[in-house]
Coordinates of all heavy atoms in Angstrom, one line a residue:
M1 N 22.2 -24.3 20.2 CA 20.9 -23.5 20.3 C 20.2 -23.5 18.9 O 20.9 -23.3 17.9 CB 21.3 -22.1 20.7 CG 20.1 -21.3 21.1 SD 20.5 -19.9 22.2 CE 18.9 -19.3 22.5
I2 N 18.9 -23.6 18.9 CA 18.2 -23.6 17.7 C 17.4 -22.3 17.6 O 16.7 -21.8 18.5 CB 17.2 -24.8 17.7 CG1 17.9 -26.1 17.8 CG2 16.3 -24.7 16.4 CD1 17.0 -27.2 18.2
F3 N 17.5 -21.6 16.4 CA 16.8 -20.4 16.2 C 15.6 -20.7 15.2 O 15.8 -21.4 14.2 CB 17.7 -19.4 15.5 CG 18.7 -18.8 16.4 CD1 20.0 -19.3 16.4 CD2 18.4 -17.8 17.3 CE1 21.0 -18.8 17.3 CE2 19.4 -17.3 18.2 CZ 20.7 -17.8 18.2
I4 N 14.5 -20.2 15.5 CA 13.3 -20.4 14.7 C 13.0 -19.1 14.0 O 12.5 -18.1 14.7 CB 12.1 -21.0 15.4 CG1 12.5 -22.3 16.1 CG2 10.9 -21.2 14.5 CD1 11.6 -22.7 17.2
F5 N 13.2 -19.0 12.7 CA 12.8 -17.8 11.9 C 11.5 -18.0 11.2 O 11.2 -19.1 10.8 CB 13.9 -17.5 10.9 CG 15.2 -17.0 11.6 CD1 16.3 -17.9 11.7 CD2 15.4 -15.7 12.1 CE1 17.5 -17.5 12.2 CE2 16.5 -15.3 12.6 CZ 17.6 -16.2 12.7
G6 N 10.8 -16.9 11.0 CA 9.6 -17.0 10.2 C 9.2 -15.6 9.8 O 9.9 -14.7 9.9
A7 N 8.0 -15.6 9.2 CA 7.4 -14.3 8.8 C 5.9 -14.3 9.0 O 5.3 -15.4 8.9 CB 7.7 -14.1 7.3
N8 N 5.4 -13.2 9.5 CA 4.0 -13.2 9.7 C 3.4 -11.8 9.3 O 4.1 -10.8 9.4 CB 3.5 -13.6 11.1 CG 4.3 -12.9 12.2 OD1 5.1 -12.0 11.9 ND2 4.0 -13.2 13.4
D9 N 2.1 -11.8 8.9 CA 1.5 -10.6 8.5 C 0.7 -10.0 9.6 O 0.0 -10.7 10.4 CB 0.5 -10.9 7.4 CG 1.2 -11.3 6.1 OD1 2.4 -10.8 5.9 OD2 0.7 -12.0 5.3
K10 N 0.8 -8.7 9.7 CA 0.0 -8.0 10.8 C -0.6 -6.8 10.2 O -0.1 -6.1 9.4 CB 1.0 -7.5 11.9 CG 1.2 -8.5 13.0 CD 1.5 -7.7 14.3 CE 2.9 -7.3 14.4 NZ 3.3 -7.2 15.8
V11 N -1.8 -6.4 10.8 CA -2.5 -5.2 10.4 C -1.9 -4.1 11.3 O -1.9 -4.3 12.5 CB -4.0 -5.3 10.6 CG1 -4.6 -3.9 10.3 CG2 -4.6 -6.3 9.6
V12 N -1.3 -3.1 10.7 CA -0.6 -2.1 11.5 C -1.6 -1.0 11.8 O -1.7 -0.5 13.0 CB 0.6 -1.5 10.7 CG1 1.3 -0.4 11.5 CG2 1.6 -2.6 10.3
E13 N -2.4 -0.6 10.8 CA -3.4 0.5 11.0 C -4.6 0.1 10.2 O -4.5 -0.4 9.1 CB -2.9 1.8 10.5 CG -1.9 2.5 11.4 CD -1.4 3.8 10.7 OE1 -1.4 3.9 9.5 OE2 -1.0 4.7 11.4
R14 N -5.8 0.5 10.7 CA -7.0 0.2 9.9 C -8.0 1.3 10.3 O -8.2 1.6 11.5 CB -7.6 -1.1 10.3 CG -8.9 -1.4 9.5 CD -9.6 -2.7 9.9 NE -8.9 -3.8 9.4 CZ -8.9 -5.0 9.9 NH1 -9.4 -5.2 11.1 NH2 -8.3 -6.0 9.4
Q15 N -8.5 2.0 9.3 CA -9.6 3.0 9.6 C -10.6 3.0 8.6 O -10.3 2.8 7.4 CB -8.9 4.3 9.9 CG -8.3 5.0 8.7 CD -7.7 6.3 9.1 OE1 -6.6 6.4 9.7 NE2 -8.4 7.4 8.7
Q16 N -11.8 3.3 9.0 CA -12.9 3.4 8.1 C -13.0 4.9 7.6 O -12.9 5.8 8.4 CB -14.2 3.0 8.8 CG -15.3 2.8 7.8 CD -16.3 1.7 8.3 OE1 -16.4 1.4 9.5 NE2 -17.0 1.0 7.4
Q17 N -13.2 5.0 6.3 CA -13.2 6.4 5.7 C -14.6 7.0 5.9 O -15.6 6.3 6.0 CB -12.9 6.3 4.2 CG -11.5 5.9 3.9 CD -10.5 7.0 4.4 OE1 -10.0 6.8 5.5 NE2 -10.2 8.0 3.7
Y18 N -14.6 8.4 6.0 CA -15.8 9.1 6.1 C -16.5 9.2 4.8 O -17.7 9.2 4.7 CB -15.6 10.5 6.7 CG -15.1 10.4 8.1 CD1 -13.7 10.8 8.4 CD2 -15.9 10.0 9.2 CE1 -13.3 10.7 9.7 CE2 -15.4 9.9 10.5 CZ -14.1 10.2 10.7 OH -13.6 10.2 12.0
A19 N -15.7 9.3 3.7 CA -16.2 9.5 2.4 C -16.7 8.1 1.9 O -16.1 7.1 2.2 CB -15.2 10.0 1.5
Q20 N -17.8 8.1 1.3 CA -18.4 6.8 0.8 C -17.9 6.5 -0.7 O -17.7 7.5 -1.5 CB -19.9 6.8 0.8 CG -20.4 6.9 2.3 CD -21.8 6.5 2.4 OE1 -22.7 7.0 1.7 NE2 -22.1 5.7 3.4
E21 N -17.7 5.3 -1.0 CA -17.3 4.9 -2.3 C -18.3 3.9 -2.9 O -18.9 3.1 -2.2 CB -16.0 4.1 -2.2 CG -14.8 4.9 -1.8 CD -14.1 5.6 -2.9 OE1 -14.4 5.3 -4.1 OE2 -13.2 6.4 -2.6
H22 N -18.4 4.0 -4.2 CA -19.2 3.0 -4.9 C -18.3 1.8 -5.3 O -17.2 2.0 -5.8 CB -19.9 3.6 -6.1 CG -20.5 2.6 -7.0 ND1 -20.0 2.2 -8.1 CD2 -21.7 1.9 -6.7 CE1 -20.8 1.2 -8.6 NE2 -21.8 1.0 -7.8
C23 N -18.7 0.6 -5.0 CA -17.9 -0.5 -5.3 C -18.4 -1.1 -6.6 O -19.6 -1.5 -6.7 CB -18.1 -1.6 -4.2 SG -17.2 -3.1 -4.5
G24 N -17.6 -1.2 -7.6 CA -17.9 -1.8 -8.9 C -18.1 -3.3 -8.9 O -18.7 -3.9 -9.8
N25 N -17.7 -3.9 -7.8 CA -17.8 -5.4 -7.7 C -19.1 -5.8 -7.1 O -19.8 -6.7 -7.7 CB -16.6 -5.9 -6.9 CG -16.5 -7.4 -7.0 OD1 -16.5 -8.0 -8.1 ND2 -16.4 -8.0 -5.8
C26 N -19.5 -5.3 -5.9 CA -20.7 -5.7 -5.3 C -21.8 -4.7 -5.5 O -23.0 -4.9 -5.0 CB -20.5 -6.1 -3.8 SG -20.0 -4.7 -2.8
N27 N -21.5 -3.5 -6.1 CA -22.5 -2.5 -6.3 C -23.1 -1.8 -5.1 O -24.2 -1.3 -5.2 CB -23.6 -3.1 -7.3 CG -24.0 -2.0 -8.3 OD1 -23.2 -1.2 -8.7 ND2 -25.2 -2.1 -8.8
N28 N -22.4 -1.9 -4.0 CA -22.9 -1.2 -2.8 C -22.1 0.1 -2.6 O -21.0 0.3 -3.1 CB -22.6 -2.1 -1.6 CG -23.6 -3.2 -1.4 OD1 -24.8 -3.0 -1.2 ND2 -23.1 -4.4 -1.6
I29 N -22.7 1.0 -1.9 CA -22.1 2.3 -1.6 C -21.8 2.3 0.0 O -22.8 2.3 0.7 CB -22.9 3.5 -2.0 CG1 -23.1 3.5 -3.5 CG2 -22.2 4.8 -1.5 CD1 -24.1 4.5 -4.1
T30 N -20.6 2.2 0.3 CA -20.2 2.1 1.7 C -19.0 2.9 2.1 O -18.3 3.4 1.2 CB -19.9 0.7 2.2 OG1 -19.0 0.1 1.2 CG2 -21.1 -0.2 2.3
N31 N -18.6 2.9 3.3 CA -17.4 3.6 3.8 C -16.3 2.5 3.7 O -16.3 1.5 4.4 CB -17.5 4.0 5.3 CG -18.6 5.0 5.4 OD1 -19.8 4.6 5.6 ND2 -18.3 6.3 5.4
W32 N -15.4 2.7 2.8 CA -14.3 1.8 2.5 C -13.3 1.8 3.7 O -13.2 2.7 4.4 CB -13.7 2.0 1.2 CG -14.5 1.5 0.0 CD1 -15.8 1.4 0.0 CD2 -14.0 1.1 -1.2 NE1 -16.2 0.9 -1.3 CE2 -15.1 0.7 -2.0 CE3 -12.7 1.0 -1.8 CZ2 -14.9 0.3 -3.3 CZ3 -12.5 0.6 -3.1 CH2 -13.7 0.2 -3.9
I33 N -12.5 0.7 3.7 CA -11.5 0.6 4.8 C -10.1 0.9 4.2 O -9.7 0.4 3.1 CB -11.5 -0.9 5.3 CG1 -12.9 -1.3 5.7 CG2 -10.4 -1.0 6.4 CD1 -13.4 -0.7 7.0
L34 N -9.4 1.7 5.0 CA -8.1 2.1 4.6 C -7.2 1.3 5.5 O -7.3 1.4 6.8 CB -7.9 3.6 4.8 CG -6.6 4.3 4.3 CD1 -6.6 4.1 2.7 CD2 -6.7 5.8 4.6
E35 N -6.3 0.5 5.0 CA -5.5 -0.4 5.8 C -4.0 -0.4 5.4 O -3.7 -0.4 4.3 CB -6.1 -1.8 5.7 CG -5.7 -2.7 6.8 CD -6.4 -4.1 6.7 OE1 -7.6 -4.2 7.1 OE2 -5.8 -5.0 6.1
K36 N -3.2 -0.5 6.5 CA -1.8 -0.6 6.3 C -1.4 -2.0 6.9 O -1.8 -2.2 8.1 CB -1.1 0.5 7.0 CG 0.4 0.4 7.0 CD 1.0 1.5 7.8 CE 2.5 1.5 7.8 NZ 3.1 2.6 8.6
N37 N -0.8 -2.8 6.2 CA -0.3 -4.0 6.8 C 1.1 -4.4 6.4 O 1.6 -3.9 5.4 CB -1.3 -5.2 6.7 CG -1.7 -5.5 5.3 OD1 -0.9 -5.6 4.4 ND2 -3.0 -5.7 5.0
A38 N 1.7 -5.1 7.3 CA 3.1 -5.4 7.0 C 3.5 -6.8 7.3 O 2.8 -7.5 8.1 CB 3.9 -4.5 8.0
T39 N 4.5 -7.3 6.6 CA 5.0 -8.6 6.9 C 6.2 -8.5 7.7 O 7.1 -7.7 7.4 CB 5.4 -9.3 5.5 OG1 4.2 -9.4 4.7 CG2 5.9 -10.8 5.8
Y40 N 6.2 -9.1 8.9 CA 7.3 -9.0 9.8 C 8.2 -10.3 9.8 O 7.6 -11.4 9.7 CB 6.8 -8.8 11.2 CG 6.4 -7.4 11.5 CD1 5.1 -7.0 11.2 CD2 7.2 -6.5 12.2 CE1 4.7 -5.7 11.4 CE2 6.8 -5.2 12.4 CZ 5.6 -4.8 12.1 OH 5.2 -3.5 12.3
A41 N 9.5 -10.1 9.9 CA 10.3 -11.2 10.1 C 10.2 -11.5 11.6 O 10.2 -10.6 12.4 CB 11.8 -10.8 9.7
S42 N 10.2 -12.8 11.9 CA 10.0 -13.1 13.3 C 11.1 -14.1 13.8 O 11.6 -14.8 13.0 CB 8.6 -13.7 13.6 OG 8.5 -14.9 12.9
L43 N 11.4 -14.0 15.0 CA 12.3 -14.9 15.6 C 11.7 -15.5 16.9 O 11.2 -14.7 17.7 CB 13.6 -14.1 16.0 CG 14.7 -14.9 16.6 CD1 15.3 -16.0 15.7 CD2 15.9 -13.9 17.0
F44 N 11.6 -16.8 16.9 CA 10.8 -17.4 18.0 C 9.4 -16.9 18.1 O 8.9 -16.7 19.2 CB 11.5 -17.3 19.4 CG 12.9 -17.9 19.4 CD1 14.0 -17.1 19.5 CD2 13.0 -19.3 19.3 CE1 15.3 -17.7 19.5 CE2 14.3 -19.9 19.3 CZ 15.4 -19.1 19.4
F45 N 8.8 -16.7 16.9 CA 7.4 -16.3 16.8 C 7.1 -14.9 17.3 O 6.0 -14.5 17.6 CB 6.5 -17.3 17.5 CG 6.7 -18.7 17.1 CD1 7.4 -19.6 17.9 CD2 6.4 -19.1 15.8 CE1 7.7 -20.9 17.4 CE2 6.6 -20.4 15.3 CZ 7.3 -21.3 16.1
I46 N 8.2 -14.1 17.6 CA 8.0 -12.7 18.0 C 8.4 -11.8 16.8 O 9.5 -12.0 16.2 CB 8.9 -12.4 19.2 CG1 8.5 -13.3 20.4 CG2 8.9 -10.9 19.5 CD1 9.6 -13.4 21.5
S47 N 7.5 -11.0 16.4 CA 7.8 -10.1 15.3 C 8.9 -9.1 15.6 O 8.8 -8.5 16.7 CB 6.5 -9.3 14.9 OG 5.5 -10.2 14.6
I48 N 9.9 -9.0 14.8 CA 10.9 -8.1 15.1 C 11.1 -6.9 14.1 O 11.0 -5.8 14.5 CB 12.3 -8.8 15.3 CG1 12.5 -10.0 14.3 CG2 12.5 -9.2 16.7 CD1 13.8 -10.6 14.4
I49 N 11.2 -7.2 12.8 CA 11.4 -6.1 11.8 C 10.4 -6.3 10.7 O 10.2 -7.4 10.2 CB 12.8 -5.9 11.3 CG1 13.4 -7.3 11.0 CG2 13.7 -5.1 12.2 CD1 14.6 -7.3 10.1
P50 N 9.8 -5.1 10.2 CA 8.9 -5.2 9.1 C 9.8 -5.4 7.8 O 10.8 -4.7 7.6 CB 8.2 -3.9 9.1 CG 9.0 -3.0 9.9 CD 9.8 -3.8 10.8
I51 N 9.4 -6.4 7.0 CA 10.2 -6.5 5.7 C 9.4 -6.1 4.5 O 10.0 -5.9 3.5 CB 10.7 -8.0 5.6 CG1 9.6 -9.0 5.8 CG2 11.9 -8.3 6.5 CD1 10.0 -10.5 5.6
K52 N 8.1 -6.0 4.7 CA 7.3 -5.5 3.5 C 6.1 -4.9 4.0 O 5.4 -5.4 4.9 CB 6.9 -6.8 2.7 CG 6.5 -6.4 1.3 CD 6.2 -7.7 0.5 CE 5.4 -7.3 -0.8 NZ 4.7 -8.5 -1.3
T53 N 5.7 -3.7 3.5 CA 4.6 -3.0 3.9 C 3.6 -2.8 2.7 O 4.1 -2.5 1.6 CB 5.0 -1.6 4.5 OG1 6.0 -1.8 5.4 CG2 3.8 -0.9 5.1
R54 N 2.3 -2.9 3.0 CA 1.3 -2.8 1.9 C 0.3 -1.8 2.4 O -0.1 -1.8 3.6 CB 0.7 -4.1 1.6 CG 1.5 -5.1 0.8 CD 0.8 -6.4 0.7 NE 0.5 -7.0 2.0 CZ 1.4 -7.7 2.7 NH1 2.6 -7.9 2.2 NH2 1.1 -8.1 3.9
Y55 N -0.2 -1.0 1.5 CA -1.3 -0.1 1.7 C -2.5 -0.4 0.8 O -2.3 -0.5 -0.4 CB -0.8 1.4 1.4 CG 0.4 1.7 2.2 CD1 1.7 1.5 1.7 CD2 0.3 2.3 3.5 CE1 2.8 1.8 2.4 CE2 1.4 2.6 4.2 CZ 2.7 2.4 3.6 OH 3.8 2.7 4.3
I56 N -3.6 -0.7 1.5 CA -4.7 -1.1 0.7 C -6.0 -0.3 1.0 O -6.1 0.2 2.2 CB -5.0 -2.6 0.7 CG1 -5.0 -3.1 2.2 CG2 -4.0 -3.4 -0.1 CD1 -5.5 -4.5 2.3
Y57 N -6.9 -0.2 0.1 CA -8.1 0.5 0.3 C -9.2 -0.4 -0.3 O -9.1 -0.8 -1.5 CB -8.0 1.8 -0.5 CG -9.2 2.8 -0.4 CD1 -9.7 3.0 0.9 CD2 -9.8 3.4 -1.5 CE1 -10.8 3.9 1.1 CE2 -10.8 4.3 -1.3 CZ -11.3 4.5 -0.1 OH -12.4 5.4 0.1
Y58 N -10.1 -0.9 0.5 CA -11.0 -1.9 0.0 C -12.5 -1.8 0.6 O -12.7 -1.1 1.6 CB -10.5 -3.3 0.3 CG -10.4 -3.6 1.8 CD1 -11.4 -4.3 2.4 CD2 -9.2 -3.3 2.5 CE1 -11.3 -4.6 3.8 CE2 -9.1 -3.7 3.8 CZ -10.1 -4.3 4.5 OH -10.0 -4.6 5.8
C59 N -13.4 -2.4 -0.1 CA -14.8 -2.5 0.2 C -14.9 -3.5 1.4 O -14.5 -4.6 1.3 CB -15.5 -2.9 -1.0 SG -17.2 -3.4 -0.7
P60 N -15.6 -3.1 2.5 CA -15.8 -4.0 3.6 C -16.7 -5.1 3.3 O -16.7 -6.1 4.1 CB -16.3 -3.1 4.7 CG -16.9 -1.9 4.0 CD -16.2 -1.7 2.7
I61 N -17.5 -5.0 2.3 CA -18.5 -6.0 2.0 C -18.0 -7.2 1.2 O -18.0 -8.4 1.7 CB -19.8 -5.4 1.3 CG1 -20.4 -4.4 2.3 CG2 -20.8 -6.5 0.9 CD1 -21.4 -3.5 1.6
C62 N -17.3 -6.9 0.1 CA -16.8 -8.0 -0.7 C -15.3 -8.1 -0.7 O -14.7 -8.9 -1.4 CB -17.4 -7.9 -2.1 SG -16.7 -6.4 -3.0
K63 N -14.6 -7.1 0.0 CA -13.2 -7.1 0.1 C -12.5 -6.8 -1.3 O -11.3 -6.9 -1.4 CB -12.6 -8.4 0.6 CG -13.2 -8.9 1.9 CD -12.6 -8.1 3.1 CE -13.1 -8.7 4.4 NZ -14.4 -8.2 4.9
N64 N -13.3 -6.3 -2.2 CA -12.7 -5.8 -3.4 C -12.0 -4.5 -3.2 O -12.5 -3.7 -2.4 CB -13.8 -5.7 -4.5 CG -13.4 -4.9 -5.7 OD1 -12.5 -5.3 -6.4 ND2 -14.0 -3.7 -5.9
G65 N -10.9 -4.3 -3.8 CA -10.2 -3.0 -3.5 C -9.0 -2.8 -4.4 O -8.8 -3.5 -5.4
R66 N -8.2 -1.9 -3.9 CA -6.9 -1.6 -4.7 C -5.8 -1.3 -3.8 O -6.0 -0.9 -2.6 CB -7.2 -0.5 -5.7 CG -7.6 0.8 -5.1 CD -7.9 1.8 -6.2 NE -8.5 3.0 -5.7 CZ -7.8 4.1 -5.3 NH1 -6.5 4.1 -5.5 NH2 -8.4 5.2 -4.8
K67 N -4.6 -1.5 -4.3 CA -3.4 -1.1 -3.6 C -3.1 0.3 -3.7 O -3.4 1.0 -4.7 CB -2.2 -1.9 -4.2 CG -2.1 -3.3 -3.7 CD -0.8 -3.8 -4.3 CE -0.5 -5.2 -3.8 NZ 0.7 -5.8 -4.4
L68 N -2.5 0.9 -2.7 CA -2.2 2.3 -2.7 C -0.7 2.5 -2.6 O 0.0 1.6 -2.0 CB -2.8 3.1 -1.6 CG -4.4 3.1 -1.4 CD1 -4.7 3.8 -0.2 CD2 -5.0 3.8 -2.6
E69 N -0.2 3.6 -3.1 CA 1.2 4.0 -2.8 C 1.2 4.6 -1.5 O 0.2 5.1 -1.0 CB 1.6 5.0 -3.9 CG 1.7 4.5 -5.3 CD 2.6 3.3 -5.4 OE1 3.7 3.3 -4.8 OE2 2.3 2.4 -6.1
K70 N 2.3 4.6 -0.8 CA 2.5 5.2 0.5 C 2.0 6.7 0.6 O 1.3 7.0 1.5 CB 3.9 5.1 0.9 CG 4.1 5.6 2.4 CD 5.6 5.3 2.8 CE 5.7 5.4 4.3 NZ 6.1 6.8 4.7
E71 N 2.4 7.5 -0.4 CA 2.0 8.9 -0.5 C 0.5 9.0 -0.5 O -0.1 9.9 0.1 CB 2.6 9.6 -1.7 CG 4.1 9.7 -1.7 CD 4.8 8.3 -2.0 OE1 4.3 7.6 -2.8 OE2 5.8 8.0 -1.3
E72 N -0.1 8.2 -1.3 CA -1.6 8.2 -1.5 C -2.3 7.9 -0.2 O -3.2 8.5 0.2 CB -1.9 7.2 -2.6 CG -3.1 7.5 -3.5 CD -3.3 6.4 -4.6 OE1 -2.4 5.6 -4.8 OE2 -4.4 6.5 -5.2
Y73 N -1.8 6.9 0.5 CA -2.3 6.4 1.7 C -2.2 7.5 2.8 O -3.2 7.8 3.5 CB -1.5 5.2 2.2 CG -1.9 4.7 3.6 CD1 -3.0 3.8 3.8 CD2 -1.1 5.1 4.7 CE1 -3.3 3.4 5.0 CE2 -1.5 4.6 6.0 CZ -2.6 3.8 6.1 OH -2.9 3.3 7.4
E74 N -1.0 8.2 2.9 CA -0.8 9.2 3.8 C -1.8 10.4 3.6 O -2.3 11.0 4.5 CB 0.6 9.8 3.8 CG 1.7 8.7 4.2 CD 1.6 8.3 5.6 OE1 1.1 9.1 6.5 OE2 2.0 7.2 5.9
R75 N -2.1 10.7 2.3 CA -3.0 11.8 2.0 C -4.4 11.5 2.4 O -5.2 12.3 2.8 CB -3.0 12.0 0.5 CG -2.3 13.2 0.0 CD -2.7 13.7 -1.4 NE -3.0 12.6 -2.3 CZ -2.1 12.1 -3.2 NH1 -0.9 12.5 -3.1 NH2 -2.4 11.1 -4.0
M76 N -4.8 10.2 2.3 CA -6.2 9.8 2.6 C -6.5 9.6 4.1 O -7.6 9.6 4.5 CB -6.5 8.5 1.9 CG -6.6 8.7 0.4 SD -6.7 7.1 -0.4 CE -8.3 6.5 -0.1
K77 N -5.4 9.5 4.9 CA -5.6 9.2 6.3 C -6.3 10.3 7.0 O -6.1 11.5 6.8 CB -4.2 9.0 7.0 CG -3.8 7.6 7.1 CD -2.9 7.3 8.2 CE -1.6 8.2 8.3 NZ -0.7 7.6 9.3
Ligands
LIG1 ZN1 -17.8 -4.5 -2.8

């Protein structure tokens, strides 16, 4: 029997913030996106367990943003 292992990235949660942010990169003022994504270990292309989670907050126009700590992310949700 052959097992196929892999890893894939998935967006777990995504929400647009009500508060507007000024982006220093594209100079626009917009509602930034708060996003949680995770890399899943997969078996036969089916995601089974998350092996790495990232929390990011970014500008929807130019995708410039920053990484957040889990606590920071939870506070902003
Ligand atoms: Zn921007």
